[in-house]
Amino acid sequence: MDDMSGPHLIRGSVALPEAELAWRFSRSSGPGGQHVNTTDSQVELRFDLAGTEALPEVWKQRALERLADRLVDGVISVRASEHRSQWRNREAAAVRLAAILAEATAPPPRPRRPTRIPRGINERRLREKKQRSETKRGRSGKYWG
């Protein structure tokens, strides 16, 4: 049962390298009765982002920049304790780490190309505004008090 359910893809054909993942297990906090006191079901997954060779250099630099506030000495850490089973928590942690890395290594969005507002739209807006103003001005007579 040591083998994971398959490679966790980051993006394209790049996957989390199993050899570079460091697992730590501890007892989960919170309710759970006697079960929680006997099993180490909480999982902490650590991945050395700064020292990995599995990611292309461009992705690695992008991820190091974007995840700078989450890293401790270039290592990213993810915890999972929502399931009672250690196995399911391992899966959850690996999926979460892959999702974080996929988002952090994504290429930056294309810059917005500024567009001009068509003149007709602007004229219609001003015409409607003037009409509304006339309607309101017509309401403020001395007979409407």
Side-chain angles (χ1 to χ4, degrees):
M1 210 167 174
D2 281 316
D3 192 30
M4 296 292 285
S5 69
H8 292 281
L9 293 179
I10 296 173
R11 223 175 49 252
S13 61
V14 179
L16 281 176
E18 188 63 39
E20 294 183 23
L21 300 179
W23 300 92
R24 210 170 87 202
F25 308 102
S26 59
R27 296 196 174 135
S28 290
S29 61
Q34 294 171 339
H35 174 78
V36 87
N37 299 326
T38 58
T39 58
D40 292 339
S41 60
Q42 178 174 300
V43 173
E44 183 182 351
L45 174 58
R46 297 167 59 85
F47 178 65
D48 185 4
L49 186 58
T52 187
E53 297 294 323
L55 296 177
E57 196 58 38
V58 177
W59 288 17
K60 191 162 125 177
Q61 291 308 316
R62 203 179 287 155
L64 286 170
E65 265 177 42
R66 291 181 182 170
L67 298 173
D69 55 333
R70 283 195 66 162
L71 298 176
V72 177
D73 296 330
V75 176
I76 187 165
S77 178
V78 175
R79 273 207 175 120
S81 62
E82 58 267 16
H83 302 291
R84 285 181 55 155
S85 149
Q86 183 189 99
W87 179 251
R88 289 178 66 193
N89 282 332
R90 283 179 62 139
E91 282 294 305
V95 167
R96 205 173 295 154
L97 179 63
I100 289 169
L101 290 175
E103 191 177 325
T105 59
R110 288 192 7 227
R112 181 186 173 277
R113 216 179 90 217
T115 56
R116 282 186 48 213
I117 298 171
R119 196 169 67 196
I121 290 177
N122 221 7
E123 287 173 356
R124 186 176 65 206
R125 180 182 62 84
L126 292 173
R127 194 168 49 247
E128 288 171 358
K129 195 171 172 178
K130 189 170 273 191
Q131 195 174 2
R132 183 86 177 135
S133 153
E134 291 296 322
T135 304
K136 288 192 172 195
R137 191 177 318 153
R139 290 179 187 159
S140 64
K142 55 178 152 175
Y143 302 110
W144 289 98

